[in-house]
Amino acid sequence: MKSLSLPMVKMIISMCIFGSIGFFSEHTGLPSLELVFVRCICATLFLSLCWVLSGQYRQERWHKKEVAQILACGVFLVFNWVFLFKAFELMSITIAISIYHLAPVIVILIGSIVFKERLTLLAFMSIVICFIGTLLVIGLNGGTSLDELLSSGVIWALLAALFYAFTTLLGKGVANMSAYAMTVLQTTLGIFILLPFVDFSAFEGVTASNWSAIVATGFIHTGFVYYLFFDSLRYLPTRIISALVFLDPAVAILLDTVFTGFRPTGMQMAGIVLIFGGMAFALVKPKVKETSGQAHARVQQNRGSKEH
């Protein structure tokens, strides 16, 4: 357990800082794609410097398969950012972040399909509860059109959750390369992916105050946070990662209600409670049924210990 303490601290810090990203993004004055582009540049500079100064670049073990895996993870990571900021543009931080944090439940669902992990009754019930909660949060009705969903930010938040789940699943399989190399590769890839689509005229009206928020989201929320996130990811079990993810929305919702004055409706509040209740439900570890052989071995062990 002691070996997990430092990775847990790193994950806790990263989640708490990341929880404030929605609050900062509203003060950048940039559209989602342009903001992510700047974040990628800032993070690449910051992490490259850390990588060189730490001397870690000399110890890297480059494997083609793992590099390809990291780059694939990077694609999901970059679009996860774009979709999340797009959701922040169109809806409240509280609602967007609640939908976004369906990701751990999506991880469980994908894990049961791709990795053939057994989907327990508790996990299945958590998925159903989260689904009902999502419907209440977004206020779906039979007459809701796709255009209305897009303009409300719901689809963007759901896509962000899906891509966040893919990022987590792919990132967990990386074992040889350092967090520095991993994040530098991904943010550098992000620069090249987004460059053809950036509207540079969006930067013309940016004020000094906007730039402060932009730099914070780039160097702190992206560079520093994702170094901590990926460095701890490889050492922590999926169950602990999913539990610590709760810190992110807790901070985000606190900032949204205190500083922006957002107040969810009764139905939305019920939906938020169901989503996070369902997520907590998914984290309950099922009791493993003891086989007759295991029971016999335990009895023999107890007898032996009493005799000694």
Side-chain angles (χ1 to χ4, degrees):
M1 197 70 183
K2 196 173 180 181
S3 62
L4 291 179
S5 59
L6 184 58
M8 280 185 69
V9 169
K10 288 182 177 180
M11 180 67 81
I12 288 169
I13 293 172
S14 69
M15 288 296 101
C16 287
I17 296 175
F18 193 76
S20 66
I21 196 167
F23 179 75
F24 275 81
S25 70
E26 291 192 340
H27 294 80
T28 62
L30 286 179
S32 57
L33 193 144
E34 284 69 27
L35 178 56
V36 174
F37 177 70
V38 175
R39 287 184 73 196
C40 286
I41 293 173
C42 292
T44 301
L45 293 173
F46 174 81
L47 293 169
S48 296
L49 182 63
C50 292
W51 194 25
V52 172
L53 292 178
S54 67
Q56 182 65 49
Y57 71 96
R58 298 192 192 97
Q59 303 168 29
E60 297 296 347
R61 288 179 293 169
W62 301 88
H63 301 284
K64 288 182 180 180
K65 186 177 180 181
E66 193 165 81
V67 170
Q69 182 181 351
I70 289 170
L71 292 176
C73 181
V75 173
F76 289 122
L77 181 65
V78 170
F79 282 103
N80 155 48
W81 292 342
V82 173
F83 296 146
L84 179 60
F85 287 126
K86 187 67 178 176
F88 285 153
E89 287 177 16
L90 300 171
M91 65 196 330
S92 78
I93 293 170
T94 296
I95 301 303
I97 213 74
S98 297
I99 298 172
Y100 179 59
H101 280 87
L102 290 169
V105 177
I106 297 174
V107 168
I108 292 173
L109 186 60
I110 294 174
S112 68
I113 298 169
V114 178
F115 302 113
K116 308 297 181 184
E117 295 176 356
R118 190 170 64 89
L119 189 63
T120 65
L121 179 61
L122 286 174
F124 177 76
M125 288 175 67
S126 74
I127 292 169
V128 174
I129 292 170
C130 286
F131 177 73
I132 295 170
T134 305
L135 294 181
L136 292 176
V137 163
I138 63 183
L140 275 183
N141 59 65
T144 305
S145 67
L146 180 60
D147 288 340
E148 287 173 322
L149 283 175
L150 289 171
S151 62
S152 69
V154 170
I155 293 296
W156 302 116
L158 286 171
L159 283 172
L162 182 63
F163 277 58
Y164 182 74
F166 288 150
T167 302
T168 302
L169 288 166
L170 279 174
K172 190 164 174 56
V174 177
N176 296 305
M177 294 181 69
S178 70
Y180 289 123
M182 187 173 180
T183 44
V184 166
L185 279 175
Q186 291 172 338
T187 52
T188 302
L189 176 66
I191 295 171
F192 289 103
I193 289 175
L194 299 176
L195 183 59
F197 307 102
V198 174
D199 178 11
F200 288 98
S201 64
F203 294 91
E204 291 174 1
V206 175
T207 64
S209 176
N210 293 143
W211 274 114
S212 297
I214 292 167
V215 169
T217 59
F219 285 105
I220 299 174
H221 292 94
T222 312
F224 183 61
V225 164
Y226 276 90
Y227 160 67
L228 293 178
F229 177 75
F230 283 115
D231 193 43
S232 58
L233 191 67
R234 69 187 71 188
Y235 301 111
L236 297 173
T238 303
R239 193 168 295 276
I240 290 179
I241 294 168
S242 299
L244 293 180
V245 165
F246 278 104
L247 292 171
D248 176 359
V251 172
I253 292 171
L254 180 66
L255 291 175
D256 195 27
T257 52
V258 172
F259 291 101
T260 67
F262 172 75
R263 297 291 181 271
T265 65
M267 187 174 288
Q268 287 176 327
M269 197 66 229
I272 291 169
V273 170
L274 282 175
I275 287 174
F276 292 111
M279 285 170 60
F281 210 38
L283 299 175
V284 177
K285 193 171 183 178
K287 291 182 180 179
V288 180
K289 202 169 183 180
E290 196 174 51
T291 64
S292 57
Q294 289 172 326
H296 178 72
R298 179 172 52 78
V299 170
Q300 293 298 324
Q301 186 178 14
N302 289 340
R303 281 179 183 172
S305 61
K306 284 177 182 178
E307 289 171 2
H308 289 298

